[in-house]
């Protein structure tokens, strides 16, 4: 097995390619490699610096959120320290704990006691005004006495429509924390204005300094507070931010698509191991760098994902400029190298092109000898060689032409007697049956056939002439067999003016008339069609006659491939002579790639295909 040798392969290349390859390895490739390495280092530096900066911003966001939550928790501690609120809630608890309190249809108090209940409600809700003004972003503040009666003053957004159901959840969370505040993650609720809201809540049981339980306080904070922090952060980083609680429920995300949903199955969340870190993530819109940080106070975790394309935008611009400059310089140098190499090798390339023309058969070429150097001498001997080849080809051509003409005349002499015998037999039988004036017409048609077939003035005719000759033959057949045979010509109109060897179609149709008729049928149709297949023209002669069995078809195909001079022992005397002669004439004129094909089957008719070149003229006709 021959081993691959790079040096040998390089030595076989044209001289222009050798010069260009040397230039590529010594100049262009080093410049490109240097540009790519510089871009990679620059991009990594920017990415690392930006990642550190975004991580610092995430830490500042965590601190801001922790401070805000701490303020909210301090706000929930105020009701236990303000005497006015304590007195109001204590009065409510005393009122609803009275044994003589009469309750009508729940939840309404009977009219005689309704005034006292309204007065208590007014006192508690008035005390909420002060709490509403303490902390910005507190959307709604709810106070509940120990019996679950709610009191509220809403600044914006309306009141929760499910306040009593929510109260039970808040009370459970607050009791689990004792005297401490409990942070409830982002929730979606529908207000009494039928509008959806998103808030997070801080709840706490209200105790006096002496640890007397007065009720419950809940403060809803609009996520708009977080949105302000996050929007400023996203505008700086160019990325997206998502905040999750300790249970992986979404408190806030930049796209506002997953609020209050659980994202435990998010691959980004699954990869965020530990309290803080950085990793790359392949998203739908491209690769992103994810920076995450966790609050030790609330357990909330901030995720910031920044597209790598944003981080490396400046680096990419610098890379493109460097590559463009390198390409321009390389192009100019390459152009100079190509011009010089082509100028040196132009005579060799010219001689090589002439050799390619000779390779495909064009011998009318000559190399212009302008110098007496090695290339000039090579061109001189090339011209002498081409001249000698032309002389030999011309001698061989005339010898082959004479041989073909002799073979064609021999084949023609076999076809004509066979045809004349059948035609005269038709006239004879017609005359014996009836002294009919139609005999004169048949003799006239016979004259046309004889003039066309016997005339040797030219072997190349138009397709239109062949079709007229075929029509004359079918008229004679109609005299002999009235109504038995019908010829249909299809698709030949576009090719009527094209040239072809004569007497190709009529012998095939004659063969169908003599051997294809099915005695069980009243008539037989012979269809001739013309169609182009690539660079060839295919004539199909189909009949609906008796057809051939498999054995007879194989013998006929064997006869077609037997030269006229060979002895045919594969069938009866004269078997397939017409088709064989037509096939041999086609091959003599056009070459072995063309000729006749036969397909048939019992009771399915026979199809004969004649394949000719698309130009419809033999090679000798164009010389």
């Amino acid at each position: 097995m021959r081993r691959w040798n790079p040096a040998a392969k390089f030595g076989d290349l044209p001289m222009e390619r050798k010069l260009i390859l040397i230039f590529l390895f010594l100049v262009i490739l080093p410049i490109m490699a240097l540009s790519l390495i510089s871009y990679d280092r620059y991009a990594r530096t920017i990415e690392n610096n930006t990642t550190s900066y975004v991580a610092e911003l995430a830490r500042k966001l965590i601190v801001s959120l922790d401070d805000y939550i701490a303020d909210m928790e301090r706000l929930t501690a105020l009701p236990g320290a303000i005497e006015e609120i304590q007195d109001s809630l204590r009065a409510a608890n005393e009122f609803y704990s009275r044994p003589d309190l009469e309750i009508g249809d729940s939840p309404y108090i009977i009219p005689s006691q309704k005034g006292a209940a309204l007065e208590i409600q007014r006192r508690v809700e008035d005390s909420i005004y002060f709490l509403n003004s303490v902390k910005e972003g507190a959307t709604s503040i709810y106070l509940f006495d120990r019996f679950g009666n709610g009191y509220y003053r809403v600044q914006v957004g309306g009141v929760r429509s499910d306040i009593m159901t929510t109260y039970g959840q808040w009370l459970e969370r607050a009791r689990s924390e004792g005297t401490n505040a409990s942070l409830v993650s982002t929730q979606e609720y529908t207000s009494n204005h039928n509008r959806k809201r998103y808030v997070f809540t801080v709840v706490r049981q209200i105790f006096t300094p002496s640890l007397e339980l007065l009720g419950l306080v809940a403060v809803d904070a609009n996520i708009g507070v977080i949105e302000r922090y996050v929007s400023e952060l996203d505008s700086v980083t160019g990325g997206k931010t998502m905040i999750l609680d300790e249970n992986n429920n979404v408190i806030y995300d930049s796209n506002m698509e997953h609020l209050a949903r659980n994202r435990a199955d998010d691959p980004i969340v699954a990869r965020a191991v530990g309290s803080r870190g950085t990793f790359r993530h392949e998203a739908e819109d491209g690769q992103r760098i994810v920076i995450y940080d966790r609050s030790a106070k609330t357990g909330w975790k901030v995720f910031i994902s920044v597209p790598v394309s944003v981080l490396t935008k400046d680096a990419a611009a610098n890379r493109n400029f460097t590559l463009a400059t390198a390409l321009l310089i390389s192009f100019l140098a390459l152009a100079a190298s190509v011009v010089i190499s082509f100028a040196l090798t132009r005579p060799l390339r010219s001689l090589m092109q002439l050799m390619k023309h000779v390779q495909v058969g064009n011998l009318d070429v000559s190399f212009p000898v302008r110098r007496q150097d090695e290339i000039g001498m090579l061109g001189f001997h090339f011209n002498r060689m081409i001249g000698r080849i032309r002389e030999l080809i011309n001698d061989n051509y005339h010898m082959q032409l004479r041989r073909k003409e002799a073979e064609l005349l021999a084949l023609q002499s076999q076809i004509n007697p066979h045809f004349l015998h059948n035609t005269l037999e038709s006239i004879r039988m017609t005359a014996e049956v009836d002294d009919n004036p139609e005999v004169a017409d048949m003799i006239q048609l016979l004259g046309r056939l004889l003039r066309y077939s016997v005339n040797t003035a030219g072997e190349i005719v138009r397709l239109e002439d062949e079709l007229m000759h075929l029509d004359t033959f079918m008229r004679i057949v109609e005299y002999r067999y009235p109504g038995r045979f019908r010829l249909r010509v299809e698709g030949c109109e576009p090719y009527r003016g094209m040239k072809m060897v004569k007497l190709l179609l009529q012998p095939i149709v004659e063969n169908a008339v003599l051997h294809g008729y099915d005695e069980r049928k009243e008539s037989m149709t012979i269809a001739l069609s013309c169609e182009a297949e690539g660079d060839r023209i295919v004539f199909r002669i189909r009949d609906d006659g008796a057809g051939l069995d498999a054995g007879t078809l194989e013998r006929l195909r064997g006869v077609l491939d037997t030269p006229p001079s060979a002895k045919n022992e594969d069938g009866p005397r004269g078997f397939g002579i017409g088709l064989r002669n037509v096939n041999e004439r086609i091959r003599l004129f056009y070459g072995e790639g063309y000729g006749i094909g036969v397909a048939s089957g019992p009771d399915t008719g026979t199809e004969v295909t004649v394949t000719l070149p698309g130009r419809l003229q033999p090679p000798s006709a164009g010389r």
Side-chain angles (χ1 to χ4, degrees):
M1 182 176 176
R2 188 176 180 181
R3 298 180 61 184
W4 184 71
N5 189 343
K9 293 293 183 181
F10 179 80
D12 293 338
L13 291 175
M15 190 175 298
E16 303 91 17
R17 295 187 182 180
K18 292 178 183 176
L19 294 175
I20 293 173
L21 285 176
I22 292 172
F23 176 80
L24 285 174
F25 279 102
L26 296 182
V27 180
I28 296 180
L29 291 181
I31 291 176
M32 295 299 176
L34 180 61
S35 300
L36 293 176
I37 292 172
S38 299
Y39 161 73
D40 183 70
R41 293 179 61 86
Y42 183 63
R44 288 179 182 273
T45 301
I46 290 181
E47 181 178 324
N48 293 335
N49 292 341
T50 305
T51 300
S52 300
Y53 176 67
V54 174
E56 184 62 27
L57 292 178
R59 170 48 43 185
K60 289 182 178 180
L61 177 60
I62 289 290
V63 172
S64 298
L65 291 175
D66 286 349
D67 291 342
Y68 185 81
I69 297 300
D71 290 343
M72 297 289 290
E73 291 176 351
R74 283 191 288 270
L75 177 61
T76 60
L78 289 178
I82 299 175
E83 292 184 1
E84 180 183 355
I85 298 177
Q86 294 177 20
D87 293 340
S88 300
L89 289 175
R90 193 177 285 114
N93 291 330
E94 292 174 356
F95 175 78
Y96 286 103
S97 64
R98 289 169 52 185
D100 60 338
L101 182 65
E102 298 183 14
I103 304 297
D105 294 335
S106 179
Y108 299 104
I109 300 174
I110 60 177
S112 61
Q113 297 170 332
K114 192 170 184 179
L118 291 176
E119 176 61 24
I120 290 173
Q121 181 178 351
R122 183 191 62 78
R123 286 180 59 191
V124 177
E125 290 180 351
D126 286 345
S127 64
I128 298 177
Y129 275 119
F130 170 74
L131 297 177
N132 277 335
S133 62
V134 172
K135 181 63 179 174
E136 179 186 2
T139 302
S140 303
I141 297 178
Y142 301 90
L143 292 177
F144 298 89
D145 57 30
R146 285 189 293 114
F147 297 94
N149 299 294
Y151 312 93
Y152 42 82
R153 288 288 188 180
V154 179
Q155 288 184 331
V156 292
V159 182
R160 290 174 178 261
S161 59
D162 59 345
I163 186 64
M164 296 313 298
T165 302
T166 308
Y167 166 74
Q169 300 171 0
W170 286 346
L171 182 60
E172 182 179 352
R173 290 288 296 268
R175 283 176 175 173
S176 65
E177 296 292 335
T179 60
N180 296 324
S182 177
L183 177 61
V184 182
S185 183
T186 298
Q187 318 120 60
E188 176 187 333
Y189 75 87
T190 303
S191 70
N192 56 352
H193 299 152
N194 288 327
R195 297 184 63 180
K196 286 186 178 181
R197 298 288 181 180
Y198 291 94
V199 295
F200 61 94
T201 308
V202 178
V203 298
R204 186 197 295 264
Q205 294 187 98
I206 302 175
F207 288 94
T208 65
S210 60
L211 297 182
E212 176 190 358
L213 178 61
L214 298 179
L216 178 74
V217 59
V219 180
D220 279 344
N222 195 321
I223 61 169
V225 176
I226 300 178
E227 185 176 7
R228 285 202 303 272
Y229 293 141
V230 172
S231 61
E232 293 176 2
L233 178 62
D234 289 347
S235 65
V236 174
T237 63
K240 300 294 182 182
T241 302
M242 181 171 63
I243 304 174
L244 305 181
D245 65 9
E246 65 275 11
N247 296 319
N248 294 323
N249 295 313
V250 178
I251 297 171
Y252 181 83
D253 73 289
S254 298
N255 294 329
M256 306 289 283
E257 295 176 351
H258 308 293
L259 290 176
R261 298 180 185 175
N262 188 275
R263 301 294 293 172
D265 58 346
D266 193 319
I268 291 180
V269 177
R271 293 183 63 182
V273 180
S275 59
R276 64 180 63 182
T278 303
F279 58 86
R280 283 177 176 258
H281 173 67
E282 194 68 36
E284 294 181 356
D285 57 348
Q287 198 172 61
R288 287 175 171 264
I289 294 180
V290 179
I291 301 98
Y292 63 93
D293 200 344
R294 183 178 180 275
S295 169
K297 176 179 176 58
T298 62
W300 289 3
K301 187 172 285 187
V302 174
F303 292 85
I304 302 174
S305 65
V306 183
V308 174
S309 59
V310 173
L311 295 180
T312 59
K313 181 174 63 176
D314 294 335
N318 181 67
R319 174 203 59 189
N320 294 338
F321 176 79
T322 303
L323 289 178
T325 304
L327 285 174
L328 178 60
I329 296 173
S330 301
F331 175 79
L332 294 177
L334 180 61
S337 174
V338 170
V339 170
I340 294 173
S341 64
F342 272 70
L344 293 175
T345 59
R346 185 181 296 112
L348 288 176
R349 286 187 286 105
S350 177
L351 183 59
M352 184 173 63
Q353 291 297 325
L354 293 177
M355 290 181 177
K356 289 182 178 179
H357 286 294
V358 173
Q359 182 179 354
V360 297
N362 182 12
L363 299 179
D364 296 326
V365 296
S366 176
F367 181 80
V369 180
R370 298 187 178 91
R371 300 181 183 88
Q372 296 300 317
D373 57 5
E374 290 80 1
I375 296 179
M377 295 302 296
L378 183 63
F380 171 77
H381 290 292
F382 171 80
N383 291 340
R384 291 192 61 183
M385 178 186 68
I386 294 301
R388 181 57 181 161
I389 290 175
R390 282 199 296 263
E391 292 176 2
L392 292 175
I393 290 178
N394 187 57
D395 294 340
N396 184 66
Y397 167 75
H398 286 292
M399 184 168 50
Q400 293 294 329
L401 185 61
R402 288 194 295 271
R403 184 181 66 83
K404 285 187 177 182
E405 289 175 351
E407 291 177 353
L408 287 172
L409 289 175
L411 291 172
Q412 188 69 42
S413 65
Q414 294 180 22
I415 293 175
N416 289 337
H418 184 67
F419 165 71
L420 290 176
H421 172 76
N422 291 328
T423 304
L424 292 174
E425 180 65 16
S426 299
I427 297 174
R428 184 187 65 78
M429 291 181 65
T430 303
E432 286 181 356
V433 171
D434 189 8
D435 186 12
N436 198 313
E438 294 176 350
V439 174
D441 188 28
M442 295 178 63
I443 295 174
Q444 182 183 16
L445 295 174
L446 175 61
R448 292 180 187 175
L449 292 176
L450 291 175
R451 282 193 301 272
Y452 186 81
S453 60
V454 175
N455 183 16
T456 59
E459 289 297 320
I460 305 302
V461 298
R462 296 177 303 171
L463 174 60
E464 183 177 7
D465 298 329
E466 279 287 279
L467 295 178
M468 292 176 60
H469 178 65
L470 187 58
D471 180 68
T472 302
F473 171 76
M474 289 304 298
R475 289 176 61 184
I476 293 177
V477 170
E478 176 63 22
Y479 278 118
R480 181 176 179 180
Y481 306 107
R484 182 179 296 183
F485 299 96
R486 185 169 65 92
L487 176 67
R488 185 175 72 249
V489 180
E490 303 170 338
C492 296
E493 194 64 31
Y495 310 104
R496 282 183 172 270
M498 296 184 179
K499 301 291 184 64
M500 64 185 295
V501 181
K502 76 176 181 179
L503 289 178
L504 295 186
L505 303 179
Q506 180 268 330
I508 299 173
V509 175
E510 179 182 356
N511 193 75
V513 170
L514 295 178
H515 305 293
Y517 180 68
D518 188 350
E519 298 291 342
R520 295 169 297 179
K521 297 181 179 180
E522 294 183 359
S523 63
M524 184 176 78
T525 299
I526 303 172
L528 167 63
S529 64
C530 311
E531 56 183 292
E533 293 184 359
D535 59 350
R536 301 184 174 203
I537 296 294
V538 178
F539 298 90
R540 302 185 189 278
I541 298 95
R542 299 184 300 274
D543 66 63
D544 55 0
L548 303 174
D549 57 49
T552 304
L553 179 61
E554 287 301 318
R555 289 196 301 274
L556 177 59
R557 288 174 175 171
V559 170
L560 290 178
D561 293 331
T562 303
S565 58
K567 184 178 181 180
N568 179 21
E569 299 179 353
D570 209 17
R573 182 179 180 84
F575 179 75
I577 185 174
L579 294 182
R580 183 187 65 183
N581 287 342
V582 171
N583 187 52
E584 186 64 20
R585 292 174 67 227
I586 292 174
R587 290 183 176 180
L588 284 173
F589 268 80
Y590 298 107
E592 295 296 325
Y594 304 95
I596 287 178
V598 182
S600 183
D603 301 324
T604 61
T606 302
E607 179 180 276
V608 179
T609 59
V610 180
T611 304
L612 301 179
R615 52 195 169 97
L616 282 178
Q617 58 184 14
S620 61
R623 293 184 183 271

